[in-house]
């Protein structure tokens, strides 16, 4: 059921921080093109990538450079 799927996804995100979906129906070619574009973006220099930073969203959208995010409840020295 939809509720069961939602609950299982929520549990996986809480426990592991990510999920892996299988049998989703997205064409493999589309997945490969998305991965190619992702690799190309992250291969760019930092100055270029920072143009895609969206301020005020806590790293929830756009590009988030290294060291900006931290896990909820994390004890980060010097932060």
């Amino acid at each position: 059921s939809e509720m069961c799927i939602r609950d299982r996804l929520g549990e996986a995100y809480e426990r592991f921080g990510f999920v892996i979906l299988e049998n989703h129906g997205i064409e493999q070619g589309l997945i490969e093109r998305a991965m190619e574009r992702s690799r190309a973006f992250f291969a760019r220099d930092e100055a270029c990538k920072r143009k895609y930073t969206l301020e005020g969203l806590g790293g929830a959208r756009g590009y988030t450079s290294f060291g900006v995010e931290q896990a909820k409840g994390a004890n980060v020295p010097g932060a």
Side-chain angles (χ1 to χ4, degrees):
S1 76
E2 190 174 311
M3 184 178 282
C4 179
I5 293 169
R6 184 201 63 214
D7 292 345
R8 290 181 68 192
L9 283 172
E11 180 182 313
Y13 280 118
E14 287 180 17
R15 184 170 178 193
F16 303 108
F18 66 93
V19 298
I20 296 174
L21 298 176
E22 296 179 321
N23 303 316
H24 42 65
I26 300 172
E27 293 179 23
Q28 189 62 33
L30 179 58
I31 294 170
E32 290 168 7
R33 287 192 305 278
M35 291 300 295
E36 288 170 13
R37 290 181 178 155
S38 177
R39 284 186 200 98
F41 174 79
F42 285 102
R44 294 176 178 259
D45 63 48
E46 188 67 19
C48 177
K49 292 184 284 195
R50 285 190 179 179
K51 293 177 185 176
Y52 297 91
T53 299
L54 300 176
E55 300 296 332
L57 298 175
R61 299 285 185 274
Y63 174 70
T64 304
S65 54
F66 183 76
V68 172
E69 293 181 301
Q70 71 182 49
K72 181 179 177 181
N75 182 11
V76 180

